Amino acid sequence: FHAIFVINRKCIIQMVNAKSCEVFGWKRDELIGHNINVIMPPGIAKHHDSYMTNYIKTGTKKMIGTQREVTAQRKDGSIFNCKLGISETKESGLICGFILDVTTEKAAEAEILAKQRLTEKIIDAAFDALFVINERGIIEMVNTASTAVFGWSQEEFIGQNISIIMPPDHAANHNGYLSRYLKTGFKKMIGKEREVEARRKDGSTFPCILGMSEVDDLGSK
């Protein structure tokens, strides 16, 4: 499923496959005999021949034998993200490029990131103090209300065990409660609300209503 281009040491395209034509929009005979820079954005295209010249003179392989993400240009001028891998055939001196269009992958990543940012904004806008912890009890996310109520900054919270907001007697047992739940699946607190005691950064304690819910994300809780 890769677009494949085979070029000589003058950067002239010698061979392409059907996928190359599909991805880039040129016909095979429009590509053969042309410089490979026709599939590159202008800023990269103008330097490509010099990269090849430098490689021929020095033998230093910056791209050959590696794979990296780059941008490419279609016949219609549109730019897209792709993964490029390059190999060389010593006997013939030909260089082969394997190109994989990752446009869909990047769009999916952008959508996930946008949803994540929206979720973070919603959480941060909540009036109640909110903590997100992993299955080891480590705080992964807090909102602004949490910092206002407990006195720690977000940076001080992230990466710490949730037991820091509990009075010592509860804190000492919390990891055991969590381990027992992960082993048995018995939900003693999850899905319920109850009044408990919490502790601020300055050591003072106060009564609060605690509600807990669980998010099962591909096996992680």
Side-chain angles (χ1 to χ4, degrees):
F1 298 102
H2 289 73
I4 299 174
F5 290 83
V6 178
I7 66 172
N8 62 19
R9 291 197 164 201
K10 293 182 179 180
C11 301
I12 303 302
I13 300 170
Q14 305 294 300
M15 187 187 303
V16 298
N17 66 349
K19 189 68 176 180
S20 299
C21 300
E22 177 188 331
V23 171
F24 287 89
W26 277 281
K27 295 178 180 178
R28 194 184 300 267
D29 57 7
E30 290 178 311
L31 289 169
I32 303 298
H34 286 81
N35 194 296
I36 190 65
N37 62 18
V38 298
I39 67 167
M40 302 173 190
I44 299 173
K46 65 182 180 181
H47 298 298
H48 186 264
D49 283 2
S50 64
Y51 298 154
M52 178 66 86
T53 300
N54 184 65
Y55 165 61
I56 293 171
K57 286 182 179 179
T58 66
T60 302
K61 297 180 179 180
K62 287 187 176 181
M63 281 288 290
I64 293 175
T66 66
Q67 181 174 291
R68 67 174 65 177
E69 190 170 304
V70 298
T71 53
Q73 181 173 293
R74 302 183 183 92
K75 183 179 180 179
D76 64 11
S78 59
I79 307 294
F80 65 99
N81 293 299
C82 62
K83 288 182 180 176
L84 170 66
I86 299 177
S87 62
E88 180 182 22
T89 305
K90 287 289 186 181
E91 296 77 12
S92 64
L94 296 176
I95 293 172
C96 186
F98 302 87
I99 299 173
L100 179 64
D101 185 351
V102 294
T103 303
T104 303
E105 180 182 320
K106 283 293 179 182
E109 288 177 0
E111 183 178 357
I112 291 170
L113 184 59
K115 288 181 179 179
Q116 181 180 338
R117 287 174 177 167
L118 177 59
T119 300
E120 289 174 354
K121 287 180 180 179
I122 292 171
I123 288 173
D124 203 45
F127 291 108
D128 296 323
L130 190 148
F131 293 84
V132 178
I133 67 172
N134 63 20
E135 55 195 6
R136 292 178 292 111
I138 302 303
I139 299 169
E140 296 192 340
M141 188 184 302
V142 297
N143 65 352
T144 301
S146 298
T147 64
V149 170
F150 287 90
W152 280 279
S153 67
Q154 287 188 333
E155 292 75 18
E156 290 175 314
F157 270 133
I158 303 302
Q160 298 296 317
N161 193 289
I162 190 65
S163 61
I164 64 171
I165 66 167
M166 303 172 189
D169 55 337
H170 291 301
N173 297 316
H174 184 262
N175 284 347
Y177 300 150
L178 189 56
S179 296
R180 192 174 304 115
Y181 163 63
L182 292 173
K183 287 180 181 178
T184 67
F186 178 67
K187 298 180 179 181
K188 191 173 182 179
M189 280 287 291
I190 293 174
K192 300 176 183 178
E193 281 190 358
R194 68 169 63 176
E195 186 172 314
V196 297
E197 194 174 33
R199 184 174 70 92
R200 301 184 183 92
K201 183 179 181 180
D202 63 11
S204 61
T205 59
F206 63 97
C208 65
I209 301 296
L210 171 65
M212 297 176 63
S213 63
E214 179 184 27
V215 178
D216 194 338
D217 182 17
L218 298 177
S220 297
K221 297 181 179 182

